[in-house]
Amino acid sequence: MAEAHPGKPNDGGEDAAETPTFDGPGKETTSGGSAARSLGSWAKEVLIIVAVALLLSFLIKTFLFRAFFIPSGSMENTLEIDDRIFVNQLVPEPFELKRGDIVVFRDTEGWLPETAAATADTGWFKDALIFVGLLPDESQQHLVKRVIGLEGDRVICCDAEGRITVNGEPLDEPYLFPGANPSDTPFDVTVPEGKVWVMGDHRNASADSRANTDKPGGGFIDVDDIEGKAAVVAWPLDRMGFLGNFPEVFAGVPETAPDSSGQEQPAP
């Protein structure tokens, strides 16, 4: 029960801000103090939710998925310029890399021209979003291509019908850019251990393994340089969707590669 304060008339005209209210058994507080505590509690909960969300985003970026953007048309129409994609970092480890997978890999072989050191300040907020994985890091040198040959595979361009063959099996590639040939550059390679042979879907506009056979790596990509498998187009919204690896294209590829005499040999 509210009591009269000494020295003040108890005529029922008390200031509402001074009128005590009960907040649970045995606890008395003012309505103004209760509102302040409620606001503080709400702000604390919001901060906790934001912190947990950022922590989860960072852990996802570190161990599961990572964002990248597409700067060129070498993978059209599968990926278009300025697409934002999420990459599954559980491929190639612990999950197996497969022919047809679209992979993002570090440019350790010098396929890309060197970029000048960034001088512009991107701002702390953008840097924070990049750090937790909500924005792609545009400062690093990465490429995105499709895996055509795994270690031990013999990849040849081309058969009498102009198709690429893997271990003697011709590929019908529905993901190619409309009007593009499987390859205008002839080649005959066997993929070394721990390497892959990669090509862009827009073959006429892709400086892929074919264009880098003069590099120290011979045009092959080290599996250890692969950041992961491109899994989802996340932006723009009208292109959002999952990215497939077209297993039917490679279903007939044998696990043995023919040697130069045409005899099949077990893949190393």
Side-chain angles (χ1 to χ4, degrees):
M1 176 183 296
E3 297 179 354
H5 293 277
K8 292 186 179 181
N10 187 17
D11 58 0
E14 298 158 325
D15 188 340
E18 298 287 333
T19 303
T21 59
F22 287 95
D23 186 17
K27 186 176 181 181
E28 191 174 277
T29 181
T30 64
S31 59
S34 177
R37 276 190 290 273
S38 296
L39 181 60
S41 177
W42 175 82
K44 181 180 179 181
E45 290 179 5
V46 169
L47 289 175
I48 291 174
I49 291 171
V50 170
V52 170
L54 291 176
L55 176 61
L56 289 175
S57 179
F58 174 74
L59 293 175
I60 289 171
K61 171 215 170 180
T62 303
F63 299 108
L64 298 178
F65 289 92
R66 186 175 174 186
F68 290 89
F69 87 106
I70 305 302
S72 75
S74 68
M75 283 294 294
E76 292 173 331
N77 285 328
T78 306
L79 299 173
E80 296 186 358
I81 296 173
D82 289 335
D83 278 357
R84 264 57 176 177
I85 62 174
F86 282 109
V87 168
N88 178 5
Q89 297 186 108
L90 298 179
V91 178
E93 292 289 345
F95 295 109
E96 183 181 16
L97 188 66
K98 297 179 180 180
R99 301 181 189 95
D101 284 347
I102 299 172
V103 294
V104 172
F105 55 94
R106 296 183 297 276
D107 181 30
T108 61
E109 298 293 334
W111 289 16
L112 295 172
E114 292 187 7
T115 57
T119 56
D121 184 8
T122 57
W124 67 267
F125 185 67
K126 183 176 181 180
D127 287 342
L129 293 179
I130 291 172
F131 178 74
V132 298
L134 295 178
L135 282 181
D137 186 351
E138 301 174 6
S139 67
Q140 299 181 10
Q141 295 279 68
H142 290 88
L143 299 101
V144 56
K145 306 293 178 190
R146 189 180 297 275
V147 175
I148 303 299
L150 300 174
E151 65 174 58
D153 285 345
R154 186 178 181 189
V155 188
I156 301 175
C157 171
C158 288
D159 68 3
E161 297 182 25
R163 298 172 297 181
I164 289 173
T165 66
V166 179
N167 297 341
E169 180 69 17
L171 306 181
D172 292 311
E173 303 178 275
Y175 42 75
L176 293 183
F177 185 82
N181 294 324
S183 180
D184 293 327
T185 303
F187 57 86
D188 183 346
V189 299
T190 298
V191 183
E193 183 179 357
K195 307 284 186 178
V196 293
W197 179 267
V198 296
M199 302 176 73
D201 288 356
H202 192 173
R203 300 284 163 81
N204 299 339
S206 177
D208 47 43
S209 287
R210 300 166 298 163
N212 292 281
T213 55
D214 60 334
K215 298 292 195 304
F220 302 105
I221 293 301
D222 197 319
V223 171
D224 290 339
D225 288 334
I226 295 175
E227 296 279 9
K229 170 187 172 182
V232 175
V233 175
W235 187 266
L237 294 179
D238 61 354
R239 287 182 43 75
M240 182 181 292
F242 293 100
L243 295 166
N245 61 358
F246 293 86
E248 67 279 5
V249 173
F250 302 89
V253 175
E255 295 303 320
T256 54
D259 61 18
S260 57
S261 66
Q263 300 296 317
E264 288 191 349
Q265 299 292 331

